[in-house]
Amino acid sequence: MNIAIQTVKHPLIRRYLILARGLVQARNVQDFALRFLPVLAKAGLALPAAWLVHRTIRPLTSRPARYRVLVIEKAVFNEDIMEVLGGASDFQVFGVGRAVIKSLALGILPRMICDDAAYMSDDAATGQAKLRYRRLWAALWRYLMRLRSYDAVLTGNWCYWAEREMASALESYGTPFIVLHKEGIKPPERSQMLRDLFRKTRGQFTGRRVLVYHEDERDHQVEGEISHADQIRVVGMPRLDRVHKWRVAAASGLTPARAGRPTVLFLAFIENNFLPSYSGIDSDLAWTELSAGSYRAMVALAAENPDINVIVRPRLQEVAEVESLLSRGGTRPNNLRVVPDGEVMPLIEASWVICGHNTTVLLEGLAAGKPVVVPHFGESLDTRYQGYNVELGDAVEHARSVDDLIGRVRAHCISAAPIPAELSNTAHRALAIWTGNPDGRSAERVREVIMDELTAAGR
């Protein structure tokens, strides 16, 4: 820290750093970094910025190993990464918060492009700001590598705005910037809509490699001019490996197959789920009847069956909307609760039946061998919405009305279905199409690709 302060000529920045020396020792480093990294970035001070970023990085695995990998942390993506590298003896994994990366970008980039959906701009001043940010990362990375070297950097999506110039800078340094793409479910109409949108608003990936779950995502990125065909590898959904392992263990009686009390896992969804307006496009499409009926069914099921636990699982950013939808379904009984936090896997394991619409957790439920019921009424039957449904075919049950939804879910709570060691052909097919992982070997495929990249980079 003393060396960093001595290199700073600007008196105000120097005073900030002197203050930082005391504050960092007494307070949370991450909070302090988020406050001061924009200041350092704006001033172009790569060395103290590198030191501060370094202080926020934490080990995700403890043992030293041949390769060090830096992960830009993100929910769900972290689960995939730890499935791939958490137990790999050749890798030590470190994590840096996405908020740290964003704080650097906010010191330089104009606010109008600080958005995943609006990074492209023809404005000359914006182009210069991007160049300054890329140069900052080029210098910062050189300093950071002196503090601790990393063999590769991994992130969860090609389009995160604060990482676009970082990818270019690291590639110019020779450090592989690899995306393990955590988003994989795109029904046909949504895929086409996003391809057209991304060409105009997000541009192309500038890192080394994109690893995707399945062939549809590969086609989506190539046809959408997001990535070049030779940049993409299909590897499957890594976190599904542990679900396959759990299913086999549960089928053999090595672990409990479900909770002792009948439990329904309802995967909450909002009215514009996967529709154009979900991506900021004006549209009159909305799952109004489908969502209202589904929430009404869950409330009625819980109210009429006090011996059944109903767990509602929303995305964190959608909790308020889900609470509003639930309130319209009637008075909430005590055996219905909303659980937005924590990993979803324990909820899958505890469930007797899983219910939801357009979410990867339905696929995790299939991999776990659990019965899956999908509401299929209202707008879901309208031809205008057909291309926005994730079609899972005969691998799931389709409820044709609110009463049918209640009846099908209740039936699985009365008589628990056994967990199969081997998946049905229909479940295997659905997992192959939508997750690229019907075999439980995705992590192995990801490790092979990462090792190939490290070898090619001379690591």
Side-chain angles (χ1 to χ4, degrees), residues 80-133:
D80 277 340
I81 285 296
M82 294 312 292
E83 185 65 36
V84 174
L85 300 179
S89 59
D90 282 343
F91 293 89
Q92 185 175 13
V93 185
F94 295 84
V96 62
R98 286 193 68 226
V100 172
I101 309 301
K102 285 183 176 181
S103 66
L104 278 164
L106 287 169
I108 298 177
L109 297 181
R111 293 298 186 273
M112 62 183 175
I113 65 164
C114 294
D115 186 328
D116 294 341
Y119 194 72
M120 296 298 289
S121 173
D122 294 329
D123 178 64
T126 298
Q128 287 299 311
K130 289 181 181 180
L131 181 59
R132 288 198 304 276
Y133 182 48

Side-chain angles (χ1 to χ4, degrees), residues 65 69 86 108 161 239 274 308 331-332 342 359 363 369 372 375:
V69 173
I108 298 177
W161 61 270
R239 68 181 182 279
F274 277 27
I308 296 176
T331 303
R332 187 182 306 182
T359 169
L363 294 155
V372 173

Side-chain angles (χ1 to χ4, degrees), residues 14-316:
R14 189 165 58 249
R15 285 199 296 270
Y16 276 142
L17 291 174
I18 292 171
L19 177 63
R21 184 170 50 194
L23 287 175
V24 167
Q25 294 172 355
R27 299 179 183 275
N28 181 283
V29 176
Q30 174 110 345
D31 290 345
F32 182 77
L34 298 182
R35 191 175 167 196
F36 283 95
L37 280 173
V39 178
L40 298 174
K42 186 174 183 179
L45 299 174
L47 176 56
W51 175 84
L52 201 48
V53 170
H54 171 72
R55 289 296 304 271
T56 70
I57 294 173
R58 64 190 184 102
L60 301 182
T61 58
S62 57
R63 63 183 177 277
R66 179 181 177 186
Y67 300 110
R68 293 192 188 115
V69 173
L70 180 64
V71 170
I72 304 175
E73 297 190 68
K74 177 77 172 177
V76 179
F77 166 66
N78 274 33
E79 295 175 36
D80 277 340
I81 285 296
M82 294 312 292
E83 185 65 36
V84 174
L85 300 179
S89 59
D90 282 343
F91 293 89
Q92 185 175 13
V93 185
F94 295 84
V96 62
R98 286 193 68 226
V100 172
I101 309 301
K102 285 183 176 181
S103 66
L104 278 164
L106 287 169
I108 298 177
L109 297 181
R111 293 298 186 273
M112 62 183 175
I113 65 164
C114 294
D115 186 328
D116 294 341
Y119 194 72
M120 296 298 289
S121 173
D122 294 329
D123 178 64
T126 298
Q128 287 299 311
K130 289 181 181 180
L131 181 59
R132 288 198 304 276
Y133 182 48
R134 192 184 317 152
R135 287 172 175 167
L136 175 73
W137 260 112
L140 187 153
W141 191 248
R142 287 195 296 272
Y143 292 127
L144 199 61
M145 292 286 276
R146 295 176 188 174
L147 294 166
R148 184 191 294 121
S149 63
Y150 300 100
D151 296 289
V153 174
L154 277 75
T155 190
N157 194 309
W158 66 274
C159 72
Y160 292 146
W161 61 270
E163 301 169 20
R164 302 294 294 278
E165 305 308 321
M166 178 185 179
S168 299
L170 267 59
E171 284 296 328
S172 67
Y173 186 86
T175 301
F177 190 91
I178 301 171
V179 170
L180 178 53
H181 208 276
K182 73 181 185 67
E183 282 81 9
I185 295 233
K186 294 182 181 71
E189 287 298 323
R190 178 170 171 77
S191 177
Q192 185 58 57
M193 173 196 72
L194 292 178
R195 292 177 203 177
D196 296 340
L197 179 66
F198 290 173
R199 286 190 189 98
K200 301 173 185 175
T201 63
R202 301 193 181 189
Q204 288 190 336
F205 173 62
T206 59
R208 180 73 53 90
R209 186 74 62 206
V210 181
L211 313 183
V212 298
Y213 288 171
H214 49 72
E215 294 289 345
D216 278 357
E217 178 63 28
R218 179 188 181 280
D219 294 345
H220 168 84
Q221 294 203 16
V222 172
E223 293 169 17
E225 300 174 7
I226 293 166
S227 305
H228 300 297
D230 60 0
Q231 288 180 297
I232 305 175
R233 298 289 182 273
V234 177
V235 293
M237 181 193 294
R239 68 181 182 279
L240 212 60
D241 285 6
R242 62 178 178 173
V243 186
H244 285 291
K245 293 172 187 172
W246 179 89
R247 185 192 70 253
V248 173
S252 63
L254 296 177
T255 191
R258 62 190 61 82
R261 178 182 169 98
T263 302
V264 177
L265 175 58
F266 175 67
L267 306 166
F269 63 98
I270 58 177
E271 292 182 351
N272 67 348
N273 187 36
F274 277 27
L275 296 175
S277 60
Y278 193 78
S279 300
I281 298 172
D282 289 336
S283 172
D284 65 341
L285 300 182
W287 305 110
T288 305
E289 186 179 343
L290 184 69
S291 64
S294 298
Y295 286 96
R296 192 163 66 250
M298 292 303 110
V299 173
L301 174 71
E304 295 165 8
N305 301 273
D307 59 324
I308 296 176
N309 286 336
V310 177
I311 297 174
V312 178
R313 173 69 171 199
R315 299 180 181 94
L316 279 172

Side-chain angles (χ1 to χ4, degrees), residues 349-381:
E349 293 174 8
S351 68
W352 289 41
V353 57
I354 296 173
C355 176
H357 178 256
N358 283 7
T359 169
T360 55
V361 184
L362 293 177
L363 294 155
E364 293 178 69
L366 286 178
K370 298 296 175 98
V372 173
V373 180
V374 174
H376 193 54
F377 49 83
E379 297 85 7
S380 189
L381 301 176

